[in-house]
C-alpha cells in the first residue's frame, strides 16, 4: 500500500497511514482519513482527536494497542483535511476491506459520517444511524460521532457516551454467546 497511486490523494501525502493496533482485535474503530499530524507520524488518531478517542476507548475498558485496531476509510491525507471524495474512498476501499477480513473483529465502530457512509453504503446522517446496531457482512457495526466533531460539539458527547455503552454491552453479549457451551 505504501506506493499506492490509485487515487489523487497520493500526491500530497508524506506517507500512507495504514492503521494501528492489535491485529487480532475484537474491536475495530474506523475514522475518515489522516490529518496533518497523522500524515507526519504515520499513525491514525494522534493529536487532540486522538486523545479524545483514547478517552472513549478507556470508557469502555479498552486501550490503544490492546484488543483494538484503529484505521481510516482513506489511507492518505486529503489536502486541507477535507472530506475524502467518494471516488477516493472507493479506490481505497480494498485496503479497509482486507483489514477487516484479516482482523475479523467482533464489532466495528464507525466514527463519523464518512466511515458510516462507506461501510453501510448510505448517505444517512450520523444522528439517524447512531444508537442502534447495524450489520456489516455479519459483523456488528455501531455508528457514533467522530472525536474531531465531538471536540467542536461538546453537547453531543453525551450521545457518544450512550453509543459506547451500547457497544460495550453488545460486546459483552457477543463474548458470552461465544463462550456459552453449545
Ligand atoms: Fe491509494 Fe488509498 Fe492513498 Fe488513494 S488514499 S493513494 S487509494 S492508499
Amino acid at each position: 500500500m505504501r506506493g499506492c497511486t490509485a487515487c489523487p490523494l497520493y500526491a500530497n501525502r508524506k506517507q500512507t497511514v495504514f492503521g494501528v493496533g492489535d491485529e487480532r482485535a475484537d474491536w475495530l474503530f474506523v475514522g475518515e482519513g489522516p490529518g496533518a499530524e497523522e500524515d507526519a507520524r504515520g499513525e491514525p488518531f494522534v493529536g487532540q482527536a486522538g486523545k479524545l478517542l483514547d478517552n472513549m476507548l478507556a470508557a469502555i475498558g479498552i486501550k490503544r494497542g490492546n484488543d483494538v485496531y484503529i484505521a481510516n476509510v482513506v489511507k492518505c491525507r486529503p489536502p486541507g483535511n477535507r472530506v475524502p471524495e467518494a471516488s477516493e474512498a472507493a479506490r481505497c476501499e480494498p485496503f479497509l476491506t482486507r483489514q477487516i477480513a484479516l482482523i475479523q473483529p467482533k464489532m466495528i465502530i464507525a466514527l463519523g459520517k464518512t466511515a458510516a457512509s462507506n461501510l453501510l453504503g448510505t448517505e444517512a446522517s450520523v444522528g439517524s444511524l447512531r444508537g442502534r446496531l447495524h450489520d456489516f457482512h455479519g459483523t456488528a457495526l455501531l455508528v457514533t460521532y467522530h472525536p474531531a466533531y465531538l471536540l467542536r460539539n461538546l453537547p453531543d458527547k453525551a450521545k457518544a457516551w450512550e453509543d459506547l455503552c451500547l457497544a460495550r454491552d453488545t460486546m459483552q453479549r457477543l463474548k458470552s454467546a461465544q463462550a456459552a457451551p453449545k
Side-chain angles (χ1 to χ4, degrees):
M1 192 196 79
R2 288 201 178 109
C4 179
T5 57
C7 88
L9 295 182
Y10 85 91
N12 292 301
R13 73 179 175 220
K14 285 196 174 71
Q15 59 189 315
T16 52
V17 181
F18 185 63
V20 68
D22 180 350
E23 291 168 5
R24 305 297 303 162
D26 286 334
W27 296 92
L28 172 64
F29 282 69
V30 180
E32 181 174 287
E37 223 170 321
E38 287 83 7
D39 183 46
R41 287 175 49 180
E43 182 174 336
F45 284 97
V46 294
Q48 287 305 310
K51 278 191 193 137
L52 179 53
L53 178 61
D54 288 342
N55 290 339
M56 291 164 78
L57 299 180
I60 49 175
I62 51 179
K63 81 178 199 199
R64 193 181 287 239
N66 187 4
D67 203 22
V68 58
Y69 197 91
I70 303 168
N72 280 313
V73 167
V74 293
K75 313 304 189 191
C76 300
R77 181 193 178 200
N81 293 346
R82 65 162 170 76
V83 175
E85 305 277 352
S87 59
E88 294 161 350
R91 287 283 177 161
C92 213
E93 186 187 346
F95 293 121
L96 182 59
T97 301
R98 188 76 182 128
Q99 283 176 307
I100 295 170
L102 289 170
I103 296 166
Q104 296 186 302
K106 284 192 172 61
M107 184 175 301
I108 299 170
I109 309 292
L111 297 166
K113 177 140 193 312
T114 300
S117 302
N118 283 281
L119 288 165
L120 293 175
T122 171
E123 283 307 311
S125 67
V126 172
S128 67
L129 294 169
R130 59 162 292 275
R132 61 197 161 93
L133 288 172
H134 302 268
D135 176 78
F136 178 83
H137 304 296
T139 301
L141 186 150
L142 199 129
V143 175
T144 193
Y145 295 103
H146 192 286
Y149 167 88
L150 291 173
L151 288 172
R152 302 188 304 270
N153 298 274
L154 293 179
D156 280 338
K157 269 189 173 177
K159 293 181 193 160
W161 169 246
E162 286 170 16
D163 297 334
L164 292 171
C165 289
L166 173 60
R168 181 195 58 202
D169 294 347
T170 304
M171 181 63 85
Q172 277 171 359
R173 189 166 49 73
L174 290 171
K175 287 187 172 177
S176 304
Q178 195 177 43
K182 302 225 160 53

